Amino acid sequence: MTPVTIVLLSIGRHPSSGRPRAAERDARAIAVARGLGRPIVGVHAGEPRDELRQYLGMGLARLDVIATEAEADPVPALCAYLDKNPAPIVLAGSHAETGNDTGLLPYLVAPHIGATIIPGIVTIAPQRDGTGVTQTMTRGRQRELFVQGRALFTVGRSGPPPPQIAWARARRGQLNVIANSQVEVIEDLQPKTTSERPARHRPKRIGPVDLHTRASGGALTGLTADEAACMILDYLEPLLVLPQAALETKQEKTNASI
């Protein structure tokens, strides 16, 4: 039996009109999935809506809709579905366009189904004993990865353009509505042991500093090491980026010079 690729889908929203539509990043995930050359099955947890048929026009073999309440958490239903239909490769958009839009859904689903999560991929190709992907990194860089075992990949705006919608195929495509009870939804996927603690103070970022910028009325040239250190500390202290130990050291040096 030919393995299928599953793509997790959501209802999107047009940025100008606000009308519901196929979500852009989910559509890009479908474009990436087509690189595997396998049948693609879309899965949506929520209300069955006509806008979902747009995905069928992008080349899906079928679309399964797990009927849940409009405001219900989709994670338990998706995890139960993926347990029952263990596809080796699952893709999803990096963020939704409606709802909470936190981007956490793939990271909540992946551990439950025992999948490795790889974010920000742009291409995917089957290889012997695994899957080869191209992942985007910061500043436009990319790197090649080889992944073995079950994996969940996310696709962002750097992914390939969304496929064109074939409207005739969208109308006649197979859309299956699955009752929530048929997937044996797990009600509680949260860890049993949690704790709360105060947030750590994190120093704020500062912009790039020109090394030739004058500080305290003079250029940082022709100074001893101690004088240069004091001028740097004078510059950083108002920005609130210095740890307490550095301030104490500065005060000790000041007292010693008096």
Side-chain angles (χ1 to χ4, degrees), residues 35-50:
L36 287 168
R38 301 172 181 171
I40 304 172
V41 175
V43 180
H44 171 74
E47 294 181 303
R49 299 181 57 169
D50 288 340

Side-chain angles (χ1 to χ4, degrees), residues 43-47 64-68 77-78 81 176 178-180 183 185:
V43 180
H44 171 74
E47 294 181 303
D64 292 341
V65 180
I66 308 169
T68 62
L78 292 174
Y81 177 94
N176 301 321
I178 303 172
N180 204 0
V183 294
V185 172

Side-chain angles (χ1 to χ4, degrees), residues 201 203-206 235-244 246:
H201 172 72
K204 63 181 181 180
R205 292 178 177 269
I206 61 175
Y235 174 78
L236 295 176
E237 185 174 357
L239 299 176
L240 303 178
V241 298
L242 291 177
Q244 186 62 31

Side-chain angles (χ1 to χ4, degrees), residues 72-97:
D73 184 0
V75 173
L78 292 174
C79 290
Y81 177 94
L82 294 172
D83 279 342
K84 192 174 181 179
N85 303 273
I89 294 176
V90 181
L91 290 101
S94 59
H95 285 83
E97 296 175 354

Side-chain angles (χ1 to χ4, degrees), residues 206-231:
I206 61 175
V209 179
D210 185 355
L211 295 179
H212 299 288
T213 299
R214 294 178 176 270
S216 302
L220 298 181
T221 57
L223 303 175
T224 66
D226 287 343
E227 290 172 339
C230 286
M231 295 186 70

Side-chain angles (χ1 to χ4, degrees), residues 247-257:
L247 295 175
E248 293 174 354
T249 301
K250 177 192 173 184
Q251 186 62 40
E252 291 174 358
K253 289 184 175 294
T254 302
N255 294 338
S257 62

Side-chain angles (χ1 to χ4, degrees), residues 3-86:
V4 302
T5 302
I6 289 180
V7 181
L8 307 182
L9 303 173
S10 61
I11 298 291
R13 180 174 53 198
H14 194 278
S16 300
S17 66
R19 293 180 179 178
R21 62 163 190 175
E24 178 190 356
R25 301 186 189 192
D26 296 351
R28 291 178 185 270
I30 292 176
V32 172
R34 292 169 67 168
L36 287 168
R38 301 172 181 171
I40 304 172
V41 175
V43 180
H44 171 74
E47 294 181 303
R49 299 181 57 169
D50 288 340
E51 291 79 15
L52 292 169
R53 286 198 167 272
Q54 296 179 19
Y55 293 117
L56 288 169
M58 298 179 187
L60 299 186
R62 74 171 192 272
L63 174 56
D64 292 341
V65 180
I66 308 169
T68 62
E69 297 293 334
E71 301 300 327
D73 184 0
V75 173
L78 292 174
C79 290
Y81 177 94
L82 294 172
D83 279 342
K84 192 174 181 179
N85 303 273

